[in-house]
Amino acid sequence: MATAEKKKKFRGVVYVAPERCKGCAICVEFCPTGAITMSDRFNSKGYHYPEFTYPDKCTGCGLCGMYCPDFAIYGFREKIGEGA
Amino acid sequence: MSVVEGIKENPVEEFLRTDRLPHVWCSGCGIGTTVNCFARAVKECGIPLNDLAIVSGIGCTGRVAGYLRLDSFHTTHGRAIAFATGLHLANPELKVVVYSGDGDLVGIGGNHFIHAARRNLDITVILINNFTYAMTGGQVTPTAPLDSIETTTPYGVFEQNFNLPHLAASCGAVYVARWTAYHVMQVKKAMVEALNKKGFSFIEIIAPCPTIYLRRNRLGSAIDELKYYKEHSVIQHGADTRDVGIDIRRPEKIIVGKFVDIEKPDYLTAMNEHLGEVLGDKYVRWGE
Amino acid sequence: MAEIKYTTADPKGVLTGIHYMDGNHAACEGALAAGCRFAAGYPITPSTEVVERFSARIPLVGGVFIQMEDEIASSICLQGAVWAGLKAMTVTSGPGISLMQEHIGLAACLETPCVFVNVQRGGPSTGLPTLPGQADMQQCRWGSHGDYEVIALSPSTVQESFDFIIDAFNLAEIYRVPVFFMMDECVGHMTEKLVIPEADKIKVVERRYTSKPPEEYLPFKPDPDLVPEMVKAGDGYRFHVTGLTHDERGYPVINAQAQKEMVYRLVEKVEKNAPKIWRYEEDEVEDADVVVLSYGISARVALKAIEMAREKGIRVGRMRLIVVWPFPEPRVKEIASKVKAIVVPELNIRGQVAREVERIVEGTCRVVRVPHAGGTVHDPQEILDAIMEAAK
Ligand code: SF4
Ligand code: SF4
C-alpha cells in the first residue's frame, strides 16, 4: 500500500548531458531498477551515452548521478504534477 | 559546452568549474565518482562554499582542485598537506580539505601526512587509492599490493605496502574510514562525518583506475572492479586497523568502514590552551 | 590598477627602543615590524635563532609559528599562510635552501609574496654549519627549474638585518615574488646596537588586494606594472591557482603560447621594474681608479681595506649592493667605463657576483675577483692587495 501511495506522489526523473559522457556505462550497471540503457547513438567524442529508456521503472534514487564520474547524468525524485 | 537543462540541478554542478569540462579523467575512473559524494557531503554539512578551500597535490587525483569552483590550490607533488597546514593555521575559519592520491599523499608526501596526523591538524584528508602513479603511466606506489604489475615492477611487486587506515590511526588521526568507489552513500556519509570532525580526519577511498592499474593487471573494466568491491567488501566498523591491510592484488575481502572516531584536542586548540596557560593575559589567542 | 598602499607598522609587533642583539634576532624583530605574522621553519645552523625568537615573540603579538617536519614543508606551508591572508616567512641556511628550491619556483609561479631568509654558511653539503659563506647567491637566483626572477637583499650589519628585512617584505608585496634575505653567519651571529624606531616611523606595504568583484576579477591578469592583484582564500572569489602553466584565469593551459606569456611576464615584472628595486650605496666612486663592489659581510670587511688603500693615496671608490638581485646593470656599466678595475670580494671562490660584474662590464675595465672559500671573512689585507694590484 505504501508503495502504491508513493507511486502516485513521486516519479523519478533522469537528465543526461551526452557531451560530457565518456560511455563507461557505470550508471546503467548500478541503476537498481534498470531504468536507463546505453544509446546506440554517439556523442561528438564517439562515446555511447545513456538514455532514460524506462521512466516508469525509475524511483529517483539518484544513484546514477552519484556514480557518474563525468557529472553527465543526474537522477532525482520529483513530485508528480510539479513538472520538470 | 552547452549544459543540458536539468543537469544544472545536480548538486555537484555548483561545485564545478563547468567551463573546464569534460575533465581529464578517463572513462570509468573512480575519482569523479568521489567528487559527487564530496559535493553532496558539503551540502549536507551546510558549509558555505566561500569558506571551503581545497588543496591537491600532483597526479590524477591532484586534478580535483582544478575542477572545483572553490578557493582551490593545485600545489606541488606530495606537499598538499604542508600547504594546507599554512592555509588552515593562518585562517582557522576556513574549512580546509586535502584531496589527492596515494602516490602523492603517502609516497612523496608521506612525511607531511604523518606529521599532520600527529599534530591533529584540523583538516580533512581524502585519499583516492588506485594503487598506482597513474598520471605518469602506472608506476608502483607505496600502497600497491604484492604481485601488482606496474611499469616499474614489471615482474610484480615484492615490497610490503602501507596499510593506510593503520598508518593514519597510529599517527594520531581522530577520524579514519575506508570505503570504495562502489560505496557512494557511505563515502558521502563518511565525508560528512569527517568534515564535521574537529581534528585530522582521513578517508581512504579505493577506486578503479581502469586505464592503467586495472588494464595492466588484467582486472577488467571499471564496472568489473566496482562489482568486485561490492562483492568482496566487508563492513567492519571499529575494526582494529592492524587487521585491515590489503596485501594482495584481489584479496578475498576488503575491510571497509569507520575505524576510528575519537576526541582529542586539535593543534590550534592545544596551542591556545597551552600558551594561554603558560603566558596568561600576555598571550594573544589565535583564531578564536 | 591596485595602488601600492603604504601604511605604518602595527605597534603590536614593534619593540621600539635601543637594543643590543644579534643579527638573527634583529631579523626576527624586523619581520614582526614588517607585519609578518606567520613563520614556518626547520632548525638549521646558523639561522635557527631567527625562528627561536619568532616562536617566543609571536604568541605575544598574535600569529603562528610552526616548526615543520622539514624545509620542504616549511617552504610551502608559508605559502598556504600567505594565500590565507598573512605575511609569512621561512628561515634557513644553504642545505635548507637547496631543499626549498621546488617551492621557490612555486612561489614565483603562483606569485606568492613571501620572504625566504637565508643565513649563509659554507658548503657544499653540510659544509661549515657554524661558519660564514656567501655561496648561495646564485642558488637563490637560479636554483629552481624554469624561468623566473626573484629579488635578493643582503644586510651587512645588525641594524640592517632589522631595516632591510622590512624592505624585503615590502618588495615581496609590491612585486608578488619570493624575496630572499641573504644574511650570513657573521651578520646573523654578531651582536651590536640596534635601534628600533617608533611603529609610526616604519613604512609597511599592504597586499595588493583587488577591489574588483568576483565576476570581473582575473587572478593572473596583470596591472600595467605587470603585477596582478591578489585575493585570499575565504573572500568569496573561489579562485584557482596552480603550479602548472596557466592563463589569466589561473587555469592550466599546456602549450607553448601560454608558457611564453607566463614566463615572460614573471621575468619582466622584475626586469622592467628593476630601476625601482635597485638599491646600493656608493662613496667616492666618481673620481675613483678602482671601485670595490661587494655586499653583506664582505662589504663591511672591505671598508677597512678601502681605508688602508686611501691612506696609501689610491683613489678607491666603494659600491655596496643592498639589493643584489636584480643587479644594477646600468650603474655598474657606467662605473666600468670610468675606472681601471672593479674589485669584487665575496665569500665564495667561483665569483658568484663577480661573474655578473664581468658579464656586464664586457671587458671595459678589469674585474678582479677576491675569492674566499668561507669559514671566516677576508683578511682586509687580501682585499688591499687586490686593490693595489688593480690600481696598477
Ligand atoms: S556513468 Fe556517466 S560517463 Fe558513464 S555512461 Fe553513465 S553518464 Fe556516461
Ligand atoms: S589514468 Fe587512471 S586514475 Fe588517471 S584518470 Fe585515468 S583512470 Fe583515472
Side-chain angles (χ1 to χ4, degrees):
Chain A
M1 191 192 115
T3 329
E5 243 174 41
K6 249 185 203 160
K7 263 188 187 159
K8 268 190 247 155
K9 285 187 181 160
F10 296 95
R11 69 165 173 234
V13 181
V14 170
Y15 286 104
V16 178
E19 284 305 312
R20 283 191 191 173
C21 174
K22 294 193 187 126
C24 67
I26 288 174
C27 52
V28 171
E29 178 68 35
F30 290 96
C31 169
T33 64
I36 42 184
T37 58
M38 291 308 276
S39 170
D40 289 337
R41 280 176 300 203
F42 298 94
N43 68 12
S44 68
K45 292 244 162 66
Y47 292 112
H48 293 295
Y49 51 88
E51 280 175 343
F52 194 29
T53 318
Y54 305 111
D56 289 350
K57 290 192 184 176
C58 179
T59 61
C61 70
L63 275 176
C64 50
M66 278 291 259
Y67 277 108
C68 174
D70 288 85
F71 322 117
I73 190 166
Y74 176 52
F76 60 99
R77 190 166 293 169
E78 185 183 73
K79 265 192 192 149
I80 285 180
E82 257 191 359
Chain B
M1 191 172 55
S2 66
V3 175
V4 175
E5 283 305 310
I7 279 286
K8 285 193 198 140
E9 307 299 314
N10 189 343
V12 78
E13 283 297 297
E14 65 173 303
F15 285 76
L16 297 174
R17 299 188 190 276
T18 46
D19 50 348
R20 297 202 59 213
L21 296 180
H23 53 55
V24 293
W25 300 314
C26 306
S27 170
C29 173
I31 297 168
T33 303
T34 69
V35 172
N36 288 316
C37 303
F38 179 69
R40 285 156 175 85
V42 170
K43 292 206 85 151
E44 193 172 318
C45 293
I47 301 167
L49 300 196
N50 289 351
D51 297 345
L52 179 63
I54 185 131
V55 187
S56 291
I58 299 295
C60 290
T61 314
R63 292 301 184 95
V64 167
Y67 293 117
L68 294 187
R69 207 165 66 76
L70 301 169
D71 289 331
S72 56
F73 300 91
H74 182 221
T75 62
T76 53
H77 195 21
R79 319 300 172 195
I81 290 178
F83 185 95
T85 302
L87 203 56
H88 160 65
L89 294 179
N91 181 0
E93 317 233 295
L94 291 171
K95 188 90 212 165
V96 179
V97 176
V98 171
Y99 214 125
S100 218
D102 50 320
D104 185 75
L105 285 171
V106 296
I108 183 169
N111 201 24
H112 316 306
F113 182 88
I114 63 177
H115 287 282
R118 169 183 66 77
R119 294 186 179 109
N120 197 21
L121 210 71
D122 185 21
I123 61 173
T124 295
V125 175
I126 297 168
L127 182 151
I128 308 302
N129 184 3
N130 55 20
F131 309 111
T132 195
Y133 284 97
M135 184 69 89
T136 44
Q139 297 74 34
V140 63
T141 65
T143 59
L146 287 178
D147 286 336
S148 296
I149 305 294
E150 310 265 11
T151 60
T152 48
T153 54
Y155 309 112
V157 171
F158 53 85
E159 57 180 89
Q160 297 298 318
N161 66 354
F162 269 138
N163 165 351
L164 295 181
H166 188 49
L167 178 68
S170 1
C171 293
V174 290
Y175 181 93
V176 178
R178 172 201 278 154
W179 295 99
T180 76
Y182 165 72
H183 298 95
V184 283
M185 301 311 285
Q186 293 92 331
V187 167
K188 185 198 80 177
K189 181 159 179 257
M191 286 173 168
V192 169
E193 291 173 346
L195 289 166
N196 284 331
K197 189 82 192 174
K198 188 94 175 148
F200 188 89
S201 51
F202 172 66
I203 305 172
E204 175 189 11
I205 306 166
I206 295 170
C209 164
T211 308
I212 306 279
Y213 186 78
L214 298 184
R215 183 162 56 179
R216 188 157 289 124
N217 286 281
R218 299 180 191 282
L219 295 174
S221 66
I223 290 178
D224 294 328
E225 179 76 351
L226 291 170
K227 279 185 181 161
Y228 160 76
Y229 298 157
K230 177 182 175 183
E231 284 153 21
H232 294 263
S233 295
V234 181
I235 300 177
Q236 286 181 16
H237 294 303
D240 185 332
T241 54
R242 280 175 297 192
D243 304 329
V244 307
I246 298 172
D247 14 5
I248 55 168
R249 200 163 43 178
R250 273 233 163 134
E252 250 324 289
K253 58 175 189 182
I254 300 179
I255 300 172
V256 295
K258 176 167 80 176
F259 305 134
V260 177
D261 192 351
I262 55 170
E263 304 296 327
K264 215 164 40 171
D266 72 294
Y267 182 91
L268 275 181
T269 306
M271 176 177 113
N272 278 322
E273 264 173 28
H274 180 77
L275 294 176
E277 213 176 285
V278 176
L279 296 170
D281 291 346
K282 283 188 290 176
Y283 177 53
V284 181
R285 300 185 79 81
W286 185 249
E288 287 181 345
Chain C
M1 170 172 166
E3 289 168 56
I4 314 294
K5 286 198 203 91
Y6 289 90
T7 54
T8 55
D10 174 356
K12 273 208 305 275
V14 183
L15 223 52
T16 303
I18 297 173
H19 305 266
Y20 186 60
M21 65 169 73
D22 72 22
N24 280 346
H25 287 163
C28 171
E29 289 305 327
L32 288 168
C36 176
R37 294 294 178 266
F38 189 96
Y42 185 83
I44 184 166
T45 308
S47 77
T48 314
E49 295 83 2
V50 184
V51 291
E52 284 174 342
R53 188 173 181 100
F54 198 88
S55 69
R57 289 271 287 128
I58 198 70
L60 313 175
V61 173
V64 178
F65 169 71
I66 183 165
Q67 183 176 316
M68 292 301 282
E69 47 274 16
D70 56 30
E71 286 92 343
I72 298 175
S74 304
S75 60
I76 189 164
C77 181
L78 93 154
Q79 298 190 49
V82 169
W83 282 98
L86 295 185
K87 291 188 180 177
M89 68 171 171
T90 186
V91 182
T92 191
S93 186
I97 285 283
S98 299
L99 282 171
M100 292 178 177
Q101 288 296 351
E102 184 181 8
H103 293 142
I104 290 161
L106 182 77
C109 187
L110 303 188
E111 304 182 61
T112 311
C114 55
V115 173
F116 289 77
V117 178
N118 180 357
V119 187
Q120 296 172 91
R121 65 197 227 184
S125 190
T126 310
L128 301 171
T130 57
L131 301 174
Q134 290 178 312
D136 298 340
M137 299 309 297
Q138 290 291 353
Q139 174 177 215
C140 80
R141 189 184 191 194
W142 302 112
S144 198
H145 56 286
D147 289 316
Y148 62 96
E149 279 284 345
V150 300
I151 294 172
L153 295 89
S154 186
S156 298
T157 67
V158 168
Q159 184 67 46
E160 289 175 358
S161 299
F162 177 90
D163 294 341
F164 295 169
I165 201 171
I166 298 172
D167 299 322
F169 276 95
N170 288 345
L171 288 165
E173 296 299 338
I174 297 172
Y175 299 106
R176 289 188 59 184
V177 285
V179 175
F180 286 85
F181 197 55
M182 302 299 282
M183 302 171 68
D184 59 74
E185 188 276 332
C186 284
V187 172
H189 284 165
M190 73 167 74
T191 298
E192 50 191 0
K193 182 175 156 186
L194 168 69
V195 182
I196 299 184
E198 307 274 336
D200 61 8
K201 301 273 160 12
I202 298 172
K203 258 210 295 187
V204 165
V205 174
E206 284 182 12
R207 189 151 295 164
R208 334 177 31 137
Y209 285 127
T210 190
S211 52
K212 292 195 179 101
E215 328 68 84
E216 288 168 29
Y217 174 70
L218 287 168
F220 292 93
K221 187 179 162 60
D223 279 345
D225 65 355
L226 300 179
V227 186
E229 297 174 342
M230 207 163 161
V231 291
K232 64 179 191 293
D235 280 353
Y237 285 80
R238 291 163 70 180
F239 59 100
H240 182 56
V241 297
T242 174
L244 287 166
T245 294
H246 47 261
D247 61 14
E248 292 183 341
R249 296 170 302 172
Y251 288 4
V253 183
I254 309 301
N255 64 40
Q257 183 57 31
Q259 169 72 1
K260 184 175 166 190
E261 278 168 30
M262 189 183 83
V263 296
Y264 269 97
R265 188 175 61 73
L266 293 182
V267 168
E268 285 174 356
K269 79 174 171 176
V270 174
E271 268 185 356
K272 294 208 165 144
N273 290 304
K276 289 181 267 172
I277 305 171
W278 293 324
R279 196 160 155 208
Y280 46 82
E281 191 181 80
E282 287 181 359
D283 80 90
E284 297 187 30
V285 166
E286 286 318 320
D287 56 353
D289 286 328
V290 174
V291 165
V292 177
L293 181 153
S294 193
Y295 55 95
I297 191 63
S298 297
R300 194 163 174 181
V301 174
L303 283 173
K304 180 72 186 165
I306 292 166
E307 189 188 302
M308 287 153 75
R310 284 177 185 162
E311 272 165 21
K312 290 183 192 294
I314 300 173
R315 290 191 301 186
V316 189
R318 186 175 68 87
M319 180 180 197
R320 176 170 72 110
L321 304 177
I322 293 167
V323 170
V324 180
W325 313 124
F327 194 82
E329 295 195 19
R331 180 58 186 154
V332 173
K333 240 188 187 115
E334 196 182 323
I335 291 172
S337 69
K338 296 181 193 157
V339 299
K340 286 190 194 158
I342 298 178
V343 173
V344 189
E346 53 185 331
L347 296 183
N348 61 71
I349 63 169
R350 305 297 298 280
Q352 294 198 11
V353 166
R355 243 170 228 263
E356 189 69 2
V357 178
E358 288 162 0
R359 187 181 70 77
I360 287 155
V361 306
E362 292 176 312
T364 15
C365 74
R366 282 173 64 210
V367 177
V368 180
R369 296 184 184 191
V370 194
H372 190 300
T376 177
V377 293
H378 289 86
D379 184 328
Q381 186 64 44
E382 295 169 66
I383 304 173
L384 178 64
D385 292 347
I387 296 171
M388 303 293 286
E389 149 70 22
K392 273 188 199 156

